[in-house]
Amino acid sequence: MNADKDDRAVGDDGFEDVQGVLVARDADGAWRYRPRAPGLARGGDGRAQFSLIAAGPATMLALTASWGVPATTLDAVRAELAARAQLPPAQLSLSPEPVQVGTVRLMLGDGAGGFEELAKTQSSGAPPYHAAFNLMLSAEQAAKVRKALGGERGWLELRYETLDAPAVRRASSAQNERSLSVETALRDAQGEASLRAELYYGEQFETDSGGGEPRARSYSGDAADWGLPKP
């Protein structure tokens, strides 16, 4: 239900879980974060954007997915990190992890760990990466969704596919120059003549740290964690 199934305090990518949010510290002391799991978008009244309406033999499902962090949660994360650093929260730099969000999938499960794609769409492209779904369900599919709304896990989930922003490419160069001068004098019957020659040699070295390949990740959130009222 989380990214890369990472339940450690600090993952191998430098992220740790603080207040349910994945955070990592940069070399300059600034912090960045990313949501641990997707859920549902909520309106101004705080209600989840989700509806399940029976229409004869079929059922209509409409929802808006979200992969973001509520402002209140983010304030709590900032306060905890600031307390560690003994700084006022306002002085702590905390910004979203730069990522590219690709396909968002709505998955229907069998209750035993197996899932199949129910629908897919693209996100809004900016935090909190909203993605809207509107579809008709068969009676069998609707029964599975209702199990999920009843709090049972493994029946319905959201999956966000992301790509980490590529690392900054850094290049450096060095130059080496050498010169050699030769001067000689020759005497012939008419007198003395001089000859001067100069050899110049230069070389330049360039190194490239490389940007590295961006890492693909998948974040999933089970419907049992969406905070919906049970039917």
Side-chain angles (χ1 to χ4, degrees):
M1 187 165 70
N2 48 52
D4 300 331
K5 300 183 187 297
D6 186 2
D7 291 321
R8 291 165 292 177
V10 179
D12 57 6
D13 56 0
F15 280 82
E16 62 175 301
D17 188 316
V18 175
Q19 305 282 343
V21 180
L22 297 173
V23 299
R25 190 175 187 179
D26 292 328
D28 60 2
W31 288 85
R32 48 198 165 88
Y33 72 89
R34 58 182 181 227
R36 191 172 182 87
L40 295 178
R42 296 183 179 272
D45 58 0
R47 304 178 88 180
Q49 297 181 17
F50 179 96
S51 66
L52 186 67
I53 302 173
T59 301
M60 185 177 69
L61 172 63
L63 64 90
T64 301
S66 174
W67 188 59
V69 180
T72 53
T73 302
L74 205 55
D75 287 343
V77 171
R78 186 186 300 275
E80 180 171 333
L81 296 177
R84 291 186 193 179
Q86 298 182 340
L87 291 173
Q91 292 184 14
L92 187 127
S93 175
L94 180 63
S95 57
E97 173 81 355
V99 298
Q100 300 174 17
V101 176
T103 303
V104 183
R105 304 179 191 273
L106 184 62
M107 309 295 293
L108 192 65
D110 59 9
F115 283 90
E116 62 179 5
E117 183 182 290
L118 190 59
K120 68 179 179 180
T121 187
Q122 296 296 311
S123 80
S124 61
Y129 302 104
H130 286 159
F133 292 91
N134 291 277
L135 61 153
M136 298 298 293
L137 305 176
S138 67
E140 181 182 358
Q141 292 172 333
K144 292 182 177 182
V145 171
R146 290 190 176 94
K147 287 184 179 182
L149 300 184
E152 297 183 36
R153 295 185 177 277
W155 293 105
L156 186 67
E157 74 172 29
L158 286 164
R159 290 184 186 174
Y160 272 70
E161 297 174 3
T162 72
L163 199 63
D164 289 352
V168 176
R169 182 180 292 273
R170 294 181 175 87
S172 60
S173 63
Q175 187 168 327
N176 185 20
E177 298 180 359
R178 297 177 184 177
S179 61
L180 176 65
S181 297
V182 177
E183 186 170 355
T184 185
L186 302 175
R187 183 180 299 275
D188 57 16
Q190 284 75 34
E192 184 178 280
S194 62
L195 173 67
R196 177 181 176 85
E198 183 172 333
L199 175 65
Y200 172 82
Y201 171 73
E203 58 184 352
Q204 183 169 332
F205 304 93
E206 293 189 359
T207 59
D208 191 343
S209 65
E213 291 297 324
R215 180 176 179 180
R217 302 175 188 267
S218 178
Y219 296 83
S220 60
D222 194 282
D225 300 317
W226 295 352
L228 291 170
K230 291 181 173 55

